[in-house]
Amino acid sequence: MERMVVCYHAPALAYRHLHETSGLISYVVPELEARSALESAVRVYLLLSRFAKSQDVDRLLEIAEGGVSQGEQAEFNRITADLRELARPCLELDVFWRDARKELL
């Protein structure tokens, strides 16, 4: 599988293989969809804009600075879940469109 991914410049093959053969990957990498590059890029922009405008950036830094206490755990989990949603379209761009220019040539 590794040779196919490298040879064909197809990280999507690696992603699909890992999701089909290991249940552990879902703990680290969210479920990805092969969206258009434009749709994924727009989703990155919108989610990043919303996150940057929220107070969550400052709050995450405050929590992280002192360590996550039991009272802060739920808030920390909510903020990191939002970040996980932001990571999804970023990964979709990387996994499904990283070598798109090569495919067009």
Side-chain angles (χ1 to χ4, degrees):
M1 177 56 67
E2 183 178 346
R3 286 184 181 177
M4 286 178 62
V5 170
V6 172
C7 181
Y8 294 113
H9 306 285
L13 285 176
Y15 168 79
R16 286 194 177 106
H17 175 73
L18 288 170
H19 260 279
E20 290 173 8
T21 60
S22 173
L24 293 176
I25 191 74
S26 63
Y27 287 101
V28 180
V29 179
E31 188 72 33
L32 305 179
E33 293 182 40
R35 304 174 198 275
S36 72
L38 178 60
E39 183 179 358
S40 291
V42 167
R43 288 172 52 88
V44 168
Y45 175 78
L46 292 174
L47 290 168
L48 187 57
S49 295
R50 285 183 207 136
F51 188 76
K53 289 176 187 174
S54 74
Q55 300 299 313
D56 288 344
V57 175
D58 293 333
R59 186 63 187 130
L60 178 62
L61 292 173
E62 290 171 8
I63 292 170
E65 180 182 40
V68 183
S69 69
Q70 285 183 347
E72 297 169 322
Q73 189 66 53
E75 186 178 16
F76 179 80
N77 291 346
R78 182 190 56 77
I79 294 170
T80 54
D82 289 346
L83 287 173
R84 186 173 178 83
E85 283 306 308
L86 174 58
R88 183 186 316 263
C90 295
L91 288 169
E92 288 171 352
L93 282 170
D94 189 46
V95 168
F96 297 111
W97 294 100
R98 179 188 314 173
D99 295 319
R101 190 175 86 60
K102 292 177 186 173
E103 293 173 11
L104 295 175
L105 297 178

